[in-house]
Amino acid sequence: MKKGIKKAHPLATKLVDEPCYKRPIHGFCYTHFNMKEEHLTDIEHQFLSALPDGRDNAVTLLKLSRTLNINKHKVSEIVARLRNAGYLVGSSKSRPNGVYFIITAQEFWETVNTIKKSIQSQQATLDALMIHEERFTRG
């Protein structure tokens, strides 16, 4: 299976002790295949344990940084690393703002669209700067 493909747990009604990245959703337990939990750092494990399910329970980076006793920039780096590893970490800039485990299609697409808008904004800024490239070409 490709990275990021989810599969419903065959025994959805059976109670099992599963790692925090396996979240029950509407009677199913979605498993993130190719997620090598042993490759996570201690702070990443703590982050995943502190991350709430769903946008309605989103927690700010500042609150997570205080909970984990690390700076806000480090929390942002952890979010990026976990997303790049395939974890469904969502984010919201409207109330409630913060980060959370994605549990619905709407949360997934809101996060995707937020990231796309950020990329477009960064690209527009880069394009505007590159107009002046010839003034700063190294000789």
Side-chain angles (χ1 to χ4, degrees), residues 15-28:
L15 294 176
V16 291
D17 185 24
E18 295 180 335
C20 60
Y21 64 85
K22 296 178 182 177
R23 299 292 178 153
I25 302 172
H26 307 295
F28 292 95

Side-chain angles (χ1 to χ4, degrees), residues 93-107:
K93 294 188 182 213
S94 60
R95 296 213 182 264
N97 66 325
V99 293
Y100 55 89
F101 271 113
I102 295 170
I103 58 172
T104 68
Q106 181 178 353
E107 292 169 354

Side-chain angles (χ1 to χ4, degrees), residues 6-134:
K6 287 23 162 219
K7 179 181 176 186
H9 193 288
L11 303 173
T13 58
K14 183 178 178 183
L15 294 176
V16 291
D17 185 24
E18 295 180 335
C20 60
Y21 64 85
K22 296 178 182 177
R23 299 292 178 153
I25 302 172
H26 307 295
F28 292 95
C29 199
Y30 289 86
T31 303
H32 299 257
F33 290 98
N34 301 325
M35 303 296 160
K36 301 269 193 265
E37 189 175 355
E38 64 271 8
H39 295 298
L40 295 177
T41 65
D42 202 30
I43 197 68
E44 288 169 340
H45 280 287
Q46 291 174 37
F47 176 89
L48 290 171
S49 295
L51 198 62
D53 287 338
R55 183 175 182 260
D56 292 339
N57 301 310
V59 61
T60 65
L61 295 181
L62 183 59
K63 185 173 181 179
L64 277 172
S65 71
R66 290 178 180 158
T67 300
L68 300 172
N69 209 19
I70 58 176
N71 68 47
K72 190 174 157 183
H73 181 72
K74 181 74 172 170
V75 176
S76 293
E77 289 176 355
I78 292 170
V79 168
R81 277 199 313 270
L82 291 173
R83 282 178 171 168
N84 290 339
Y87 287 85
L88 292 172
V89 179
S91 59
S92 171
K93 294 188 182 213
S94 60
R95 296 213 182 264
N97 66 325
V99 293
Y100 55 89
F101 271 113
I102 295 170
I103 58 172
T104 68
Q106 181 178 353
E107 292 169 354
F108 173 81
W109 289 112
E110 283 177 0
T111 299
V112 167
N113 289 332
T114 298
I115 293 169
K116 281 183 178 182
K117 285 178 187 174
S118 177
I119 291 168
Q120 291 166 351
S121 173
Q122 291 288 315
Q123 187 64 54
T125 302
L126 179 60
D127 293 345
L129 283 171
M130 293 308 290
I131 291 169
H132 306 283
E133 178 184 18
E134 64 188 35

